[in-house]
Amino acid sequence: NETGDVYLVSSGKGVAHAEATATEGPHKAIQLICKIPNDKMDLEPEVCKVKQSQIPVKEVEGGKIKIITGKLGDLVSPATLKAYPKLTIGRALVNPGAQMEVILDEDEFEHGIVFALEGKGTVLDESTFATIDETLDTVVFGSGQKLVLRNDDPVNILDIFFTASKSLNEEWKKLKGFNGFFIAPTESEAEKIYAKIEEVGVKNFNYKIWNTQ
């Protein structure tokens, strides 16, 4: 991937992969891990790559919004997977000293997170506010009709990363191990899988076979 590109991977019944940078030196990347909905667990692994130039952008009062995955109003990202849950990931670029309203459909979104990639600003609602900056303070927001972002810097752009989603209401556990992680429906199931992998080895473990036993 190049700067600004999107790379999505759905593990489906199980996938192993490696991550490495193409060049030496410092890099910045954001990685999010989402639960596959129960009714999509049997789908095969899938990969989607989208260039930065393909990501939809909309000019709004106070700046512009980019929809990296999912949709927001009439903006729909081409970055998607068959197993992708109802989740929107975006960036809000707020002009210096300006305020922006990100309109959220309450039927589509229940909660989300916000943090600043660059700059300093304030997240506001009807009763409270929270200050964020590039030290990666994270703000969690709940249901409502809009997300209000204010750029407190009169000179520089405020670059905000945000997610908005609706709960699946499905139990899941993430367990780290073997230089990676895996996700199971329950903690007891995760522990059984972990023990089996230790017994047979990572390269010999086949979750598709395990899941049918």
Side-chain angles (χ1 to χ4, degrees), residues 112-125:
I113 62 170
V114 177
F115 65 84
L117 298 174
E118 188 174 352
K120 182 176 181 179
T122 304
V123 182
L124 307 105
D125 66 18

Side-chain angles (χ1 to χ4, degrees), residues 83 87 112 121:
L87 169 67

Side-chain angles (χ1 to χ4, degrees), residues 171-175 182 184-194:
E171 185 179 7
W172 63 295
K173 299 293 181 181
K174 175 184 172 185
L175 193 64
F182 56 90
T186 65
E187 189 167 353
S188 61
E189 180 75 0
E191 290 173 351
K192 290 178 184 177
I193 296 172
Y194 190 92

Side-chain angles (χ1 to χ4, degrees), residues 31-43:
Q31 183 182 62
L32 295 182
I33 300 166
C34 307
K35 180 188 182 298
I36 295 175
N38 287 344
D39 61 355
K40 298 180 179 180
M41 286 289 191
D42 289 334
L43 295 175

Side-chain angles (χ1 to χ4, degrees), residues 3-16:
T3 300
D5 291 353
V6 182
Y7 182 73
L8 300 180
V9 178
S10 169
S11 62
K13 299 169 183 174
V15 64

Side-chain angles (χ1 to χ4, degrees), residues 85-105:
K86 186 172 286 187
L87 169 67
T88 291
I89 301 173
R91 286 173 71 178
L93 303 172
V94 188
N95 294 333
Q99 183 166 297
M100 176 190 294
E101 293 185 356
V102 181
I103 305 301
L104 301 172
D105 184 340

Side-chain angles (χ1 to χ4, degrees), residues 32-80:
L32 295 182
I33 300 166
C34 307
K35 180 188 182 298
I36 295 175
N38 287 344
D39 61 355
K40 298 180 179 180
M41 286 289 191
D42 289 334
L43 295 175
E44 295 295 334
E46 186 182 3
V47 173
C48 175
K49 296 182 180 181
V50 174
K51 304 300 292 181
Q52 180 178 218
S53 59
Q54 298 173 280
I55 296 172
V57 182
K58 184 175 184 178
E59 298 284 343
V60 298
E61 184 175 352
K64 59 184 177 181
I65 297 174
K66 297 181 178 181
I67 298 303
I68 300 170
T69 68
K71 66 177 183 177
L72 187 68
D74 58 352
L75 290 184
V76 181
S77 172
T80 190

